[in-house]
Amino acid sequence: MAGVVCGQYLLVKSLVPPSELVDVDRDSMALIERGEHGPFGDARWNYGDDPDDASPIPRRINGLADDDMPPSFQLLLAYPPLLATAAALMADANGESRAFAAGVPGALVYKVPHRGFPVPWHQDPVVIRRYPAFNVDVYLDDSDEDNA
């Protein structure tokens, strides 16, 4: 990948304008509220254990591209400027397009206020791919040490 160093981050602010995130933000809150009181039978809602009392803390919702999820997520996951940026990052040294895999599992990772736990360094499950792969994250809210 020309100009991209493995193990580093590329931050592109405002690639997805706020107007395109209104429905995603609303739908995210609805999904978060659905699982805020603990497991309810849908394994896509993931929880961690509170270090103080071992109660479940919601932290992640998988399967945003599933048919029963709000369509706003599917629109975001296929947002043309986001896909164009991914394609540009995968270009060869001459700027020519190369094939790349666009796996779109889609997950909503979040932290509930005043509860949480650190996530130590980890490596997600390794999958041998024929094409290079990388993560694309869209942040809906600002975070810092005071609120994250």
Side-chain angles (χ1 to χ4, degrees), residues 44 63-71 74:
R44 293 175 295 184
L64 297 182
D66 291 353
D67 289 340
D68 64 337
M69 288 292 187
Q74 294 168 4

Side-chain angles (χ1 to χ4, degrees), residues 48-114:
D49 294 329
D50 188 308
D52 295 327
D53 63 13
S55 64
I57 299 175
R59 64 179 183 90
R60 179 182 176 117
I61 303 166
N62 293 318
L64 297 182
D66 291 353
D67 289 340
D68 64 337
M69 288 292 187
S72 64
F73 296 114
Q74 294 168 4
L75 293 171
L76 176 62
L77 293 170
Y79 187 63
L82 200 58
L83 295 177
T85 301
L89 288 170
M90 297 308 299
D92 67 16
N94 298 317
E96 297 294 323
S97 297
R98 326 188 281 194
F100 70 96
V104 185
L108 175 63
V109 180
Y110 60 99
K111 180 190 172 295
V112 295
H114 311 294

Side-chain angles (χ1 to χ4, degrees), residues 33-41 45 47 56-58 115:
E33 289 169 2
R34 189 182 312 171
E36 70 183 333
H37 297 295
F40 61 96
W45 272 252
Y47 299 83
I57 299 175
R115 293 189 74 201

Side-chain angles (χ1 to χ4, degrees), residues 125-139:
V126 176
V127 176
I128 304 301
R129 295 180 171 90
R130 181 174 172 197
Y131 303 104
F134 57 91
N135 288 331
V136 175
D137 299 331
V138 177
Y139 296 91

